[in-house]
Amino acid sequence: MTTSLDEGELRQGTLARPDQQCHWRRLERRAGAGKVVMLHGAGVAAELTWGPMVTYLDAWRTFLMPDLRGMGATRAADGRERPFSLDEVVDDVEVLLDAQDIDQCDVMGYSFGGLVAMRLKQRLGTRIGRMMLLEPALLEREDRATMVRVREGYAEAACAMREASTPEAGIVAFLDLIAPHRSRNPRAERMMIRRLAHRPLGFANALDCVTDAVRHLDRDALLEAQHDVTSVVGGKSLAAMQAYHSTLAQRRSDWRYIELPGTDHSLPFQKPRRLAGLLQEASSFNKGEDG
């Protein structure tokens, strides 16, 4: 399907995988340069996450926005929700890059998508250029033992989404863990819950995917593979996350850390224009360097 927009041409389609039908959207602008792949977070689709921001991003010409497993319009052929691993998600993205003839690109990753982005960079090396990570999973806090312990709470939230009569309690438990200082405005809370409840079993599977990665992935090796990184954390987000990203930027000359005031883990939905401006600036950070 092709749709003409004032800002360019939007195409969307489905990539057939052995066990998934992977939905994607690709925007081709008339201006800008280079390509960027945009990987959304758990429980939300690409269009909902990136749509409000893309309008303000003109540093790139090509924008590829896939729906990751368990989210959006990406589904198994029989429609069933099944558990999946991090590497299965990365496989989907790598095959999509090949199918779309994208040999070189930058990557934006939000939350779960940030973890996918880092694993993709670890696998593909210099094929991936600049990295822009928005509160990426696996980098919530520096102490690994604490992270593993806290992640058990996410596993309990995922279990509640599967077993309760409605997914709301599990979603609220997730929000209390990832955004304890969020606005408790009833309207905003309802919007967040409704956004995350679109495919609750897929959301639960994504949370379990991250929990498994926290338990088993070598985070030091993953970080070693990253280059030209800009990470953004909300000003109302976890203090431990802010501190860890600040420390990473202090330790590494190719890592830039930005705190976005007035936002929490929902930062792409809260301040899309401001966030887009920061990412525009990040597009020239360490340009051409390889760590």
Side-chain angles (χ1 to χ4, degrees):
M1 178 179 178
T2 303
T3 304
S4 294
L5 300 177
D6 291 340
E7 58 196 32
E9 182 180 69
L10 178 67
R11 294 185 294 124
Q12 55 186 314
T14 301
L15 173 71
R17 299 277 290 134
D19 62 342
Q20 291 285 303
Q21 299 293 314
C22 299
H23 184 262
W24 54 267
R25 296 163 62 86
R26 178 168 175 159
L27 174 65
E28 292 289 343
R29 285 265 173 77
R30 299 184 182 94
K35 303 174 177 69
V36 61
V37 176
M38 308 172 79
L39 305 175
H40 60 80
V44 289
E47 181 180 8
L48 187 62
T49 303
W50 305 117
M53 288 178 54
V54 165
T55 301
Y56 306 110
L57 292 170
D58 56 17
W60 296 270
R61 181 181 291 269
T62 300
F63 300 78
L64 182 63
M65 298 164 278
D67 285 343
L68 305 178
R69 289 191 181 216
M71 277 77 72
T74 290
R75 294 183 180 273
D78 62 5
R80 294 182 61 188
E81 301 280 16
R82 295 180 176 85
F84 49 82
S85 70
L86 174 61
D87 282 334
E88 285 177 317
V89 180
V90 176
D91 288 344
D92 293 339
V93 178
E94 182 179 0
V95 172
L96 180 60
L97 293 181
D98 293 339
Q100 294 284 316
D101 295 321
I102 295 179
D103 296 323
Q104 183 77 31
C105 63
D106 298 332
V107 178
M108 290 182 196
Y110 165 52
S111 192
F112 172 63
L115 173 58
V116 175
M118 290 189 288
R119 189 65 163 168
L120 187 70
K121 172 66 175 177
Q122 186 179 35
R123 181 185 294 187
L124 299 184
T126 55
R127 184 175 175 182
I128 304 300
R130 294 182 292 274
M131 300 283 293
M132 286 146 282
L133 305 175
L134 316 179
E135 299 210 357
L138 214 71
L139 302 186
E140 292 104 339
R141 45 182 47 82
E142 182 168 11
D143 183 72
R144 184 181 180 278
T146 302
M147 189 168 61
V148 170
R149 176 176 54 78
V150 171
R151 204 72 213 183
E152 296 306 314
Y154 290 85
E156 293 173 4
C159 184
M161 288 180 214
R162 292 189 182 94
E163 297 180 358
S165 57
T166 70
E168 182 171 340
I171 291 171
V172 171
F174 162 78
L175 291 171
D176 288 344
L177 287 164
I178 198 66
H181 308 302
R182 69 188 185 279
S183 168
R184 302 291 174 154
N185 177 281
R187 181 174 177 273
E189 191 85 347
R190 286 195 302 271
M191 287 179 61
M192 283 188 289
I193 293 171
R194 186 164 57 248
R195 188 165 63 223
L196 294 170
H198 178 63
R199 284 178 62 182
L201 296 182
F203 181 26
N205 288 335
L207 293 182
D208 284 344
C209 174
V210 176
T211 297
D212 182 71
V214 168
R215 291 170 178 161
H216 301 113
L217 200 62
D218 185 336
R219 187 173 68 173
D220 290 339
L222 186 72
L223 285 170
E224 182 65 26
Q226 310 307 310
H227 300 284
D228 289 357
V229 179
T230 297
S231 63
V232 185
V233 175
K236 296 165 68 176
S237 291
L238 297 168
M241 189 189 311
Q242 296 168 352
Y244 186 32
H245 284 253
S246 178
T247 297
L248 287 168
Q250 291 168 15
R251 290 174 180 168
R252 298 179 49 158
S253 62
D254 66 342
W255 193 296
R256 181 188 185 197
Y257 165 58
I258 301 171
E259 183 178 308
L260 182 56
T263 63
D264 52 41
H265 191 67
S266 296
L267 64 172
F269 309 101
Q270 293 167 334
K271 293 191 176 181
R273 185 170 190 168
R274 177 60 181 140
L275 182 55
L278 295 175
L279 297 175
Q280 291 278 103
E281 297 171 10
S283 69
S284 61
F285 174 61
N286 280 355
K287 187 174 182 179
E289 298 180 12
D290 189 23

